[in-house]
Amino acid sequence: MKPGTRYVHESQEPDAFTGAVTVPITLTSTFKQDGVGKPRAGWEYGRTGNPSRKSLEGAIAAAENGTHGLCFASGSAATAAVFNLLQPGDEVVSTMDVYGGTWRMLRKVYEKYGIKARFLDSHSADSFKESLTARTRLMWVETPTNPMMNIVDIAAVAGLRSRQTLLVVDNTFASPYFQNPLDLGADIVVHSTTKYIGGHSDVIGGALVTNDAEIYEACRFYQNAAGGVPSPFDSFLVQRGLKTLAVRMERHQANAFEVASVLKGHAKVGRLFFPGFADHPGHAAAKRQMRGFPGMISFELNGGRPAVERFVQRLKLFTFAESLGGVESLACHPTTMTHGAIPQADRERIGITEGLMRLSVGIEDAEDLKEDIRQALQ
Ligand SMILES: *Cc1c(COP(=O)(O)O)cnc(C)c1O
């Protein structure tokens, strides 16, 4: 089955009991058991397992060409489940422009349990290789990165894996439609389903997918023990989003190329970061590992912070807000929003300047979006 078909059919058979075509939202906290030690079909308690969640977990696993999926109440909860595989003294290697919340979790939450994190300025597999030590347990890769749209060569970094060092890829930006890290050698894929998979800016959720039964069992144990699970209703919303992922991503991509072409070379715009264009430094690597490009574009406004303030006031269709991946176009100012937790010196070193804007291009009509950007720049 091709991806667009899998998103609609995999792990969402019509209900065996009623024939309901849509997987029911099973709003229950507990399940009647048929006798001592006889839970019906394995269901016991809603934190441990719920049919709505289970259906979604299977569907997201299939979307990532994986065998095992687990869903969480947020992308951050999925991320925490992976870090809980670690022991005191273990090391994690990632890049400086990793998702701000992941940086914060490593630095402010897991460091106090003795887990050491390094954040590289470079995105080359060589720099990952040089940073590996006998204690490195995880390489945490995001590609394209947020907000600079750097590309990490997943297969090259996967070549550095060993029995003790796993590769995790946060695939939130590309979405499963454009990139499948497990196929490129990753051990675990993480998603904030809040973004493209949910796709409608109406739910917070997360997921992880792996082909490794041992990793799955360890993360599933943590999921039940720590309890950061999505509600049945949230599971339904994410699953409803997944069904239309293929059509939405095609439209996000087409619109992103249109909007990026307005920004490119515009007198009010400095550097443009869009990996879909051939002159982006990561374009060749992106073409090798991605089937297309999501609606994410960053660019510098000439005129810095004052220009940013005027620009966001003038936007009519692009909503000034954090997050990404929904049907509606959003504009965000990374310095004061998504990357506010990162120290200023680190931010500036990796290019997150006061004039930087990030767009999440939605699925509206491209002409309207282009006109909005044109008039706001003007
Ligand atoms: C949003 C996001 C997360 C965190 O997900 P939440 O659902 O907000 O907890 C992690 N990684 C990336 C790349 C994200 O964009």
Side-chain angles (χ1 to χ4, degrees):
M1 261 191 282
K2 295 274 196 293
T5 311
R6 276 207 305 271
Y7 302 160
V8 176
H9 290 286
E10 196 82 43
S11 183
Q12 39 206 323
E13 289 293 308
D15 184 54
F17 188 55
T18 63
V21 167
T22 301
V23 174
I25 307 172
T26 308
L27 285 171
T28 189
S29 60
T30 189
F31 299 83
K32 174 182 157 66
Q33 306 198 12
D34 290 331
V36 176
K38 284 190 199 154
R40 200 178 291 183
W43 304 112
E44 298 167 10
Y45 183 63
R47 166 163 40 72
T48 314
N50 172 283
S52 309
R53 187 173 100 214
K54 176 141 188 188
S55 169
L56 175 64
E57 291 179 333
I60 290 186
E64 279 293 5
N65 298 334
T67 49
H68 301 81
L70 288 169
C71 287
F72 294 86
S74 68
S76 303
T79 299
V82 175
F83 292 150
N84 266 275
L85 296 169
L86 302 173
Q87 302 288 333
D90 287 349
E91 293 178 7
V92 180
V93 181
S94 191
T95 59
M96 199 55 226
D97 60 353
V98 70
Y99 177 70
T102 303
W103 183 92
R104 179 175 57 199
M105 199 184 303
L106 283 166
R107 273 277 182 276
K108 312 274 176 174
V109 180
Y110 283 94
E111 203 163 85
K112 68 174 189 273
Y113 299 118
I115 286 156
K116 237 176 90 181
R118 288 167 194 238
F119 300 95
L120 311 173
D121 284 349
S122 155
H123 299 81
S124 72
D126 281 346
S127 58
F128 272 88
K129 186 174 182 181
E130 281 158 25
S131 71
L132 297 182
T133 74
R135 313 288 325 236
T136 311
R137 282 281 287 139
L138 290 185
M139 297 180 285
W140 187 281
V141 163
E142 232 176 272
T143 179
T145 63
N146 175 25
M148 303 312 293
M149 311 299 158
N150 289 300
I151 303 296
V152 179
D153 184 333
I154 296 173
V157 177
L160 307 172
R161 291 166 58 252
S162 64
R163 252 188 76 78
Q164 68 135 10
T165 310
L166 303 179
L167 170 60
V168 188
V169 177
D170 180 336
N171 202 30
T172 300
F173 265 44
S175 89
Y177 186 64
F178 286 143
Q179 179 170 273
N180 296 117
L182 296 180
D183 294 346
L184 300 162
D187 298 282
I188 306 173
V189 177
V190 168
H191 277 284
S192 168
T193 55
T194 310
K195 316 294 169 51
Y196 281 114
I197 293 178
H200 296 72
S201 306
D202 55 8
V203 61
I204 298 282
L208 69 82
V209 181
T210 181
N211 284 318
D212 184 310
E214 239 173 88
I215 293 173
Y216 168 74
E217 285 307 331
C219 292
R220 180 169 157 66
F221 176 85
Y222 170 81
Q223 180 197 45
N224 182 48
V229 294
S231 74
F233 189 73
D234 288 355
S235 301
F236 160 79
L237 283 175
V238 173
Q239 190 150 12
R240 182 156 82 158
L242 177 65
K243 292 179 202 196
T244 57
L245 182 67
V247 284
R248 284 186 289 107
M249 293 315 294
E250 292 288 354
R251 177 76 164 213
H252 283 298
Q253 164 164 254
N255 283 357
F257 273 93
E258 294 278 339
V259 169
S261 69
V262 170
L263 295 165
K264 194 177 172 93
H266 193 285
K268 304 270 173 79
V269 173
R271 291 187 298 165
L272 174 66
F273 306 94
F274 179 58
F277 283 160
D279 58 359
H280 183 280
H283 181 73
K287 287 291 264 192
R288 279 198 303 276
Q289 65 191 13
M290 299 170 76
R291 292 180 291 271
F293 298 92
M296 301 307 297
I297 303 170
S298 292
F299 65 98
E300 283 173 341
L301 275 174
N302 294 332
R305 177 75 168 263
V308 165
E309 285 174 17
R310 290 199 301 276
F311 181 73
V312 302
Q313 287 307 318
R314 300 284 191 295
L315 286 172
K316 292 177 181 147
L317 280 175
F318 280 81
T319 302
F320 186 52
E322 297 196 14
S323 200
L324 62 114
V327 292
E328 59 288 287
S329 292
L330 302 178
C332 133
H333 182 231
T335 303
T336 53
M337 298 163 85
T338 50
H339 290 68
I342 312 242
Q344 188 180 357
D346 289 332
R347 246 184 359 234
E348 286 179 356
R349 199 178 63 249
I350 59 172
I352 306 177
T353 56
E354 286 280 347
L356 189 77
M357 291 294 306
R358 189 192 77 186
L359 302 179
S360 170
V361 181
I363 65 165
E364 303 95 328
D365 188 279
E367 288 308 317
D368 289 333
L369 295 179
K370 288 199 291 190
E371 183 46 34
D372 194 32
I373 294 292
R374 275 197 208 102
Q375 65 81 25
L377 286 173
Q378 192 56 43

